[in-house]
Amino acid sequence: MNDTTSNGLDGLELDVAIIGTGVGGLYALHRARNEMGLNAQAFDDAGGVGGTWYWNRYPGCRVDTESTVYTYSFDMDMFQNWEWSERYAKQSEVLNYLNAVADKHDLKRSINFNTRIASMVWSDDEGRWTLTTKGGDTFKAKYVIEAVGLLSSSYAPQFPDQDKFKGEVLLASKWPEEEPDLAGKRVGVVGTGSTGIQIITALADKVGHLHVLQRTPQWVVPLGIGPFPLETREKIKKDPVGFREWALSTAAVFGFDESTVSALEVSEDERNRVYEAAWQKGNGFAFMLETFSDIPVTPEANKTATDFIKSKIDAIVKDPKVAAMLTPKDYYAKRPLAADNYYDTFNRDNVTLHDVKANPIERFSENGLIIGGEEVELDVLIMATGFDAMTGNYLKIETIGRDGVRLQDEWNDGPHAYAGMSIAKFPNLLMVFGPFSPFTSQPLVHEWQVQFLTEMIEKAQEGNGLIETSLDAQEDWVRVCQEGMAGTLFQVTDSWINGANIPGKPRTSMWFMGGMGGYMQEMNAIKSDDYRGFEIN
Ligand code: NA7
């Protein structure tokens, strides 16, 4: 529903334009308009708030991070009293929550939905950005906050002859609002990342036959779906501020303390006891980070985890050939995956696993797909093929900074940014969870960054209204981040974390690896040092 006609925005003059109304954008709007009294307006391509939770409504979609840390804390009353029904909220519940926040703080009257920002150009003379919508409207803003999403620029490879296919092709990340009826149908799923495994486990007992089209298997552990733990609710109700402080003090902000024990310093029995307990409890991030400290860092430690998961695959999957196909050959160092009963799903008679690396998807036929020369008949094909992560949405907007510099050229060899929030040569342009942000869960971190960057706007408003980033500070930040990532197995294992999932995308590091604690410490030092690396006047 992208608008290509005027949105009635021509001539608008704003203090702050916010692009995106997901978790980061909504809070940025609240801060700028409600708390700082600025003339702020937000813009979203979607027909409602929610960002990634607006678009990703595919079967089985839910957070796989504890709901507790999927909550804003700026509204302490909501933080303390919001009653999540499940340990991992379903997409509909997250969307309801974000709508409830937007309604309570009366945000929607300052949002233009169905409005895509196509370009923005900085003028030094005016000290303003000129933004143009896809519909051709042009307006100005002193500051732009891009809250465009880490994982929201969909990637959907095209297979030849799609026009010949009589069935339907659905993209998981742009799922139709009206739920398609898949009951009894022959359904194919391309992709076995976080999205694919949620769809596969949700649909296996609902469709006629499920064809899983797997290119690369991934290590999957149980999620532990269940009601929201009462004990946690009590803790939050009793001391919400303390709970938030604790969550932010952990390295990755996933709602648990990361382990400080090496997998290699304990006995095999102890290691297996720890892995078994984590397997029973569920949660992919906890399996990787709460069990031992060095799984994503040391190949030998990593192997202890993959040996354990492999033993589970072999025990659960009845057909040894299928078990072998499901067993990854690379490190457990992609974004960790979790879904309940994932491996059991492949024991079902109505589920067939295809290895589309060995037998590639060649093209569509009228009745399905030709895979390795054979026709697989399908009524529906679901593409769960991921995202152009981190940089994708920034690069979709033609962004011209000082002296005609194009963002697309500046990021040709990979992104360059300072503190995950700003870019040299692009004054007054601020990002929520931009490149080189901390490698963490997002909502509480978005909130922390929005607080930081809106305080910079506050300071600029007291002066000439200009926020700039030093090129030297930016390149130092990038170097430190790259060095941090180089010491991990994430960098050498193909995934969206390093850009390897998109053909032609430069493989690069895009993260601050010092944990949230390290990030806050660094950012607080930057602030006390008169916003070192930024020039605010
Ligand atoms: P991911 O994790 O990038 O997974 C995408 C999947 O799609 C992955 O299994 C890919 O296989 C597969 N893929 C991509 N292109 C093709 C083609 N051409 N043929 C066959 N298979 C293909 O994306 P998700 O949406 O699952 O998750 C992204 C994040 O969103 C997730 O981590 C959460 O944080 C939210 P490959 O591994 O490249 O061989």
Side-chain angles (χ1 to χ4, degrees):
M1 255 220 355
N2 290 341
D3 202 348
T4 47
T5 57
S6 168
N7 304 96
L9 298 169
D10 260 338
L12 189 68
E13 293 270 349
L14 295 171
D15 294 322
V16 186
I18 296 153
I19 309 178
T21 59
V23 175
L26 284 178
Y27 180 49
L29 179 59
H30 173 68
R31 273 285 294 155
R33 195 198 70 186
N34 295 349
E35 293 187 353
M36 293 159 67
L38 296 173
N39 176 15
Q41 185 85 13
F43 306 88
D44 204 304
D45 208 9
V49 301
T52 201
W53 299 103
Y54 175 90
W55 295 109
N56 285 269
R57 44 183 86 214
Y58 58 79
C61 183
R62 64 170 72 229
V63 291
D64 58 1
T65 299
E66 308 265 348
S67 308
T68 35
V69 288
Y70 228 85
T71 320
Y72 291 114
S73 64
F74 77 87
D75 183 329
M76 261 301 157
D77 181 45
M78 276 183 100
F79 185 64
Q80 193 172 16
N81 296 312
W82 185 263
E83 305 252 316
W84 292 107
S85 64
E86 292 190 72
R87 184 175 168 203
Y88 305 101
K90 289 201 178 85
Q91 173 268 343
S92 54
E93 199 170 359
V94 179
L95 195 58
N96 285 346
Y97 166 73
L98 293 173
N99 271 289
V101 173
D103 290 337
K104 178 171 176 191
H105 295 283
D106 191 21
L107 298 176
K108 290 179 187 166
R109 71 179 159 85
S110 300
I111 303 174
N112 285 83
F113 294 114
N114 304 309
T115 303
R116 166 164 275 283
I117 303 299
S119 70
M120 44 192 192
V121 181
W122 171 255
S123 158
D124 262 334
D125 292 343
E126 296 178 41
R128 297 277 183 286
W129 284 95
T130 298
L131 294 91
T132 304
T133 66
K134 194 174 171 195
D137 288 1
T138 294
F139 61 97
K140 292 184 195 294
K142 200 164 164 187
Y143 310 95
V144 173
I145 299 177
E146 286 195 275
V148 293
L150 164 69
L151 290 152
S152 59
S153 177
S154 303
Y155 168 62
Q158 305 288 310
F159 304 119
D161 296 342
Q162 188 175 327
D163 54 330
K164 294 197 178 126
F165 180 46
K166 288 194 293 195
E168 209 178 346
V169 179
L170 300 172
L171 185 57
S173 54
K174 294 278 180 305
W175 198 255
E177 275 188 50
E178 195 175 324
E179 193 56 41
D181 180 11
L182 301 176
K185 297 206 169 138
R186 298 163 301 178
V187 176
V189 179
V190 185
T192 48
S194 315
T195 304
I197 64 167
Q198 288 191 331
I199 293 174
I200 291 160
T201 47
L203 285 186
D205 64 353
K206 302 197 175 51
V207 299
H209 200 98
L210 190 68
H211 292 275
V212 176
L213 309 178
Q214 172 191 273
R215 191 165 66 180
T216 314
Q218 292 210 47
W219 302 104
V220 182
V221 305
L223 181 59
I225 292 174
F228 193 89
L230 285 178
E231 196 190 325
T232 313
R233 178 160 292 146
E234 288 308 308
K235 244 193 231 172
I236 297 171
K237 277 202 195 291
K238 209 161 138 204
D239 180 14
V241 176
F243 190 89
R244 172 186 186 274
E245 295 311 312
W246 163 74
L248 282 173
S249 76
T250 64
V253 200
F254 281 117
F256 57 79
D257 285 306
E258 291 83 7
S259 171
T260 53
V261 177
S262 162
L264 305 174
E265 75 184 51
V266 298
S267 68
E268 194 178 343
D269 280 356
E270 171 59 6
R271 211 161 41 222
N272 284 335
R273 188 196 63 72
V274 170
Y275 284 140
E276 185 61 39
W279 184 272
Q280 295 307 329
K281 181 177 160 209
N283 184 342
F285 291 95
F287 193 91
M288 181 185 273
L289 303 173
E290 195 183 27
T291 49
F292 296 106
S293 59
D294 44 0
I295 293 173
V297 187
T298 314
E300 296 75 20
N302 197 274
K303 188 167 181 316
T304 66
T306 56
D307 281 351
F308 179 86
I309 305 174
K310 182 177 181 322
S311 72
K312 290 290 184 189
I313 299 173
D314 290 342
I316 295 168
V317 180
K318 292 190 181 128
D319 181 338
K321 268 199 226 133
V322 175
M325 279 163 79
L326 286 167
T327 305
K329 293 191 174 54
D330 40 16
Y331 292 123
Y332 177 41
K334 301 183 190 228
R335 189 270 201 209
L337 303 194
D340 288 343
N341 305 318
Y342 180 66
Y343 293 119
D344 304 79
T345 303
F346 295 90
N347 291 331
R348 297 179 62 92
D349 290 341
N350 72 332
V351 175
T352 305
L353 180 65
H354 302 258
D355 177 351
V356 299
K357 188 171 268 169
N359 302 301
I361 300 171
E362 291 166 19
R363 59 180 169 86
F364 281 95
S365 62
E366 257 185 44
N367 300 315
L369 281 172
I370 306 296
I371 298 177
E374 308 262 316
E375 184 171 62
V376 175
E377 293 192 359
L378 299 172
D379 302 305
V380 178
L381 180 69
I382 300 175
M383 301 292 284
T385 40
F387 301 90
D388 185 356
M390 189 57 102
T391 53
N393 269 351
Y394 296 100
L395 294 172
K396 276 186 182 164
I397 301 173
E398 172 78 7
T399 305
I400 316 270
R402 168 161 295 144
D403 300 329
V405 168
R406 287 179 76 235
L407 184 67
Q408 284 76 359
D409 295 332
E410 292 290 294
W411 285 9
N412 198 28
D413 63 346
H416 295 255
Y418 183 49
M421 284 191 226
S422 69
I423 313 164
K425 304 179 210 170
F426 294 81
N428 289 13
L429 176 64
L430 298 162
M431 300 176 287
V432 185
F433 219 83
F436 307 105
S437 283
F439 196 54
T440 56
S441 154
Q442 295 187 56
L444 288 172
V445 179
H446 282 208
E447 199 178 48
W448 200 92
Q449 285 190 329
V450 168
Q451 182 70 32
F452 191 99
L453 64 86
T454 50
E455 281 175 21
M456 288 203 291
I457 293 178
E458 227 155 27
K459 185 169 159 62
Q461 283 293 90
E462 289 161 11
N464 298 325
L466 200 60
I467 305 172
E468 309 218 40
T469 302
S470 139
L471 185 59
D472 287 345
Q474 171 179 287
E475 294 313 298
D476 276 351
W477 186 275
V478 170
R479 185 181 42 73
V480 167
C481 290
Q482 285 172 342
E483 285 168 5
M485 188 53 119
T488 74
L489 301 176
F490 292 117
Q491 191 58 13
V492 294
T493 309
D494 287 355
S495 80
W496 61 259
I497 290 172
N498 49 45
N501 65 321
I502 303 293
K505 184 169 176 167
R507 188 182 182 114
T508 179
S509 159
M510 300 183 269
W511 307 90
F512 174 86
M513 295 303 288
M516 187 56 189
Y519 181 74
M520 290 190 298
Q521 201 178 0
E522 186 57 29
M523 295 310 295
N524 287 333
I526 285 173
K527 187 167 153 187
S528 337
D529 206 0
D530 198 18
Y531 287 99
R532 172 172 29 94
F534 295 103
E535 244 181 68
I536 305 180
N537 53 56

